[in-house]
Amino acid sequence: MARKRRKTMRARYDEWLAAHPAASCWIVGSSVALTLVGIYLFVTYSGFGASAEFIYNQF
């Protein structure tokens, strides 16, 4: 007799996204926006936006 398999986390997530299309669009859009803001802040304040000479002198 085969055992019942539990739903995976991915299956639960996919079901929830299918049931809530507006929320899924908001979640994906906000994730992309936050990622872009994070990359911008990292490049701006980390020194990677500086000249190559400045970066090479640090090593």
Side-chain angles (χ1 to χ4, degrees):
M1 190 175 249
R3 290 191 326 181
K4 247 185 168 177
R5 292 173 59 93
R6 292 177 51 185
K7 284 186 181 178
T8 63
M9 185 64 92
R10 177 65 189 209
R12 291 179 191 168
Y13 179 72
D14 288 340
E15 286 177 7
W16 188 87
L17 287 179
H20 302 88
S24 63
C25 287
W26 188 85
I27 290 170
V28 170
S30 62
S31 297
V32 169
L34 285 173
T35 301
L36 291 175
V37 167
I39 291 170
Y40 171 76
L41 292 174
F42 176 76
V43 170
T44 302
Y45 295 110
S46 68
F48 281 146
S51 67
E53 182 179 338
F54 174 75
I55 293 172
Y56 293 143
N57 287 335
Q58 292 184 12
F59 295 108

